[in-house]
Amino acid sequence: MLKPLLIEIGVEELPAVPLLKELQNIEKKYTDILEKNSLLGEFEFYYTPRRLVIWHREFQTQQADSVEEFFGAPLAVAYKDGEPTPAANGFAKKCGVSVDELSTGTKGGKEVLYYKKDVKGKQTSELLNEIINTWIKSLNFGKSMRWGSEMQSFIRPIRWVNVLLGDELVNVELFGVKSKKATFVHRISNFDSLNIGGAKEYFEILKQGGVTLFQEQRKEDILSGFASLEKDNGITIEIDDNLLNEIVAITEHPTALLGSFDVEFLRLPPEVIITSMKEHQRYFPVFKDNKLLNKFVVVSNALTDDFSKVIEGNEKVLRPRLADGLFFYDNDLKNGLSTDGLEKVAFFKGLGSVADKIQRELKIANTLFQTYKIDAKKEDLQRAVSLAKADLMSEMVYEFTELQGLMGYYYAIEAGETKEIVTAIKEQYLPDGEGSDLPSTPMSAIVAMSIKLDTLLALFSVNQIPTGSRDPFALRRAVNGIIRITSAYNLEFDIVKSLKKLAAEYDEIDMQKLENFFLERVKQYYKVNPSVVEAVLASGERELVAMGKKIEALNTIVNSEGFSESFSTFKRVANITKDIDLTVPLSVDSKLFQEEAEKILYAKYNEVSSALYSSYETQLDALLGLKPELDKFFDDVMVNVEDEALKNNRKSLVASIYKSILDIADIKEVSV
């Protein structure tokens, strides 16, 4: 029999960020618990800041009957001289029967003790208390709290529990709170609990009480409100998806409102205003013709017909924050952009101060400048690196740490620094994520690389190597950034030779660990068949630009039509050459050729190997194009002949071909 099931867990206001982080696991954890209890069925999950809700339109009122099977010891072990052994007695006890009630069955080709019993399904109402407790206590929101006399903890205190199977209340106790046929609506609508008769009435009461239960509906309501404000006021609202999701999570009745602030605050860099509004107030910035306006959008959770007081209150809250920002900004401009004091700011234990870090970065920048000979002035590069961390001493960055680098850019402009220098300061942390922009100039690229390389080398020198998911200094992101920069600007960087040269300025570093760290990031960075990356790395290639081009070339060919046929041929080539040292020059004597097929193969190989190619892809394609000649060679020529000189010559011919392919990738490592 099927009945609707409603589960509502009422809580004090849930913090948005922990809830959103766990959101992807909530439904799965509940599903897993249902499956273990043989009650799996479709359901919907809803949340507001004050409730977690599970809704089954149809739910089994009883578990299905089942059969439990038990397999015991082999008969040879279970009985001795016709009498049951302790193994048999123990199995019978486990099954809850006497030895005489056991039968035999076959398992693993052996005859063993066997018992089967019918299990009658339990009533759902008997199971829900444990199901709900297990589910709620499995949720991981990070920090949790205890309240009252409860010793167990949850993200916020549980205030009510409402569980209805059909229209009947199911007895559930969660954190000392017993279930009731009652719920709470929006606080402004009614502060007291409201009794409900059944699920249908529940949804209606919430709606009338100002609660939009469905989170997707709340999001639609917010976006619809944004669209109306944009149309009515000729503005554009910048929608941050993360912020939007937070607003959905902290409101039950969202209404988008347009507020404003004094135009004088537009003297601040736009990022300061936006950061202050988004991070501290959860406001959305407003633009017109791509320029920031002295307006903002706040999403209210109030139930009212007159929002003037709500808007006024939010404007009052924002003003002192922007006033503080303007005060910090003006003070910083008076003080100028200076690195004085950075010698007192520690970078990391054993690595000196931030001023020491700047000196290390300068040495790396000079080395990279000499290596790449970019179109920039060396003194500009040195100036950019020297000033990159100067804004750490500013009042603004002390208040808004996420603006480091960006404030240095604005202060450098005010100080009259060149466009190249201020751009490099602004872009010093780029790329700072997978979809992030890259530095826009070669000089900015060198500055960003220098900072990332020093962070890597310095922390590896004090054995601060990321383990598991822990990476507090974002070293994995730093390597990804280096891969992207070198690829975009075609800056050859060998992760063995280049790193060894730079590492000479640091305390002893385990270079093998550092190389392996880079290689692991390379494997994660390229979104291709993992064996393609392994094949290129197995070739010994360690220069990042060439590595990337070879991976892309091999991936294109591996995914091309007909590669599987070619692969079998070249796998055979690899097997023939597996005992040959490919690191030494190979000698092929054409005078020893006896068969026409080996002569043709040699001539074609010489033609292919001596040609010039515009890319690794065309080169590899040409080498793999030797398949017809190789197939003919394998059909007509015996390689392992008794004549030692002839055998070695033929092996050298085949090995020469594989060695040429190995310059790009060890193709036998590819999985197709």
Side-chain angles (χ1 to χ4, degrees), residues 332 335-339 383 387 390-391 407-409 411-412 415 417 425:
D332 289 339
N335 295 330
L337 195 60
S338 171
T339 58
R383 180 71 173 163
L387 291 177
D391 64 357
M407 293 314 304
Y409 160 77
Y411 296 149
E417 301 291 344
I425 292 173

Side-chain angles (χ1 to χ4, degrees), residues 126-223:
E126 298 174 20
L127 300 169
L128 281 172
N129 183 66
E130 183 180 350
I131 288 172
I132 294 169
N133 271 271
T134 303
W135 171 55
I136 288 294
K137 291 169 185 177
S138 74
L139 302 182
N140 181 13
F141 297 105
K143 291 183 179 179
S144 59
M145 61 187 296
R146 292 198 297 265
W147 62 95
S149 59
E150 278 296 314
M151 296 306 295
Q152 293 178 310
S153 61
F154 192 58
I155 184 172
R156 286 295 183 270
I158 305 286
R159 291 309 185 201
W160 77 90
V161 178
N162 176 20
V163 182
L164 300 177
L165 184 59
D167 290 337
E168 297 298 319
L169 178 69
V170 179
N171 291 323
V172 172
E173 184 171 346
L174 183 63
F175 291 94
V177 179
K178 294 181 179 180
S179 57
K180 294 180 181 179
K181 292 180 72 172
T183 189
F184 286 80
V185 294
H186 197 293
R187 282 197 176 96
I188 296 177
S189 174
N190 195 325
F191 199 76
D192 298 324
S193 66
L194 299 177
N195 295 327
I196 58 174
K200 184 177 180 181
E201 188 179 346
Y202 167 79
F203 291 107
E204 191 60 36
I205 285 175
L206 287 189
K207 186 177 179 180
Q208 292 176 0
V211 176
T212 302
L213 178 62
F214 315 127
Q215 55 268 21
E216 289 304 319
Q217 182 61 55
R218 295 200 300 278
K219 180 181 281 191
E220 288 180 22
D221 291 346
I222 292 169
L223 293 176

Side-chain angles (χ1 to χ4, degrees), residues 39 80 143 174 207 220 252 261 306 312 317 331 337 353 385 391 398 451 522 544 548 551 596 601 606 617 621 635:
L39 288 170
K80 186 174 183 181
K143 291 183 179 179
L174 183 63
K207 186 177 179 180
E220 288 180 22
E252 291 194 319
F261 55 86
D306 182 6
E312 183 182 334
V317 170
N331 275 357
L337 195 60
S353 65
V385 174
D391 64 357
Y398 183 83
I451 291 170
V522 167
L544 291 176
I551 289 170
E596 188 66 20
L601 176 61
N606 279 334
E617 184 181 338
D621 194 45
D635 288 342

Side-chain angles (χ1 to χ4, degrees), residues 361-362 364-376 381-382 385 424 427-428 439 441-453 485-486 489 491:
E361 291 170 354
L362 277 168
I364 293 175
N366 287 333
T367 299
L368 297 182
F369 183 83
Q370 293 169 4
T371 301
Y372 300 129
K373 297 178 171 52
I374 61 170
D375 183 17
L381 174 66
Q382 293 173 331
V385 174
E427 299 176 344
Q428 62 180 290
T441 69
M443 191 176 94
S444 292
I446 297 301
V447 172
M449 272 187 72
S450 301
I451 291 170
K452 296 178 196 304
L453 284 167
I485 291 171
T486 54
Y489 284 94
L491 303 175

Side-chain angles (χ1 to χ4, degrees), residues 605-620:
Y605 168 65
N606 279 334
E607 177 188 329
V608 169
S609 62
S610 60
L612 298 176
Y613 299 96
S614 59
S615 68
Y616 290 118
E617 184 181 338
T618 55
Q619 182 183 354
L620 188 55

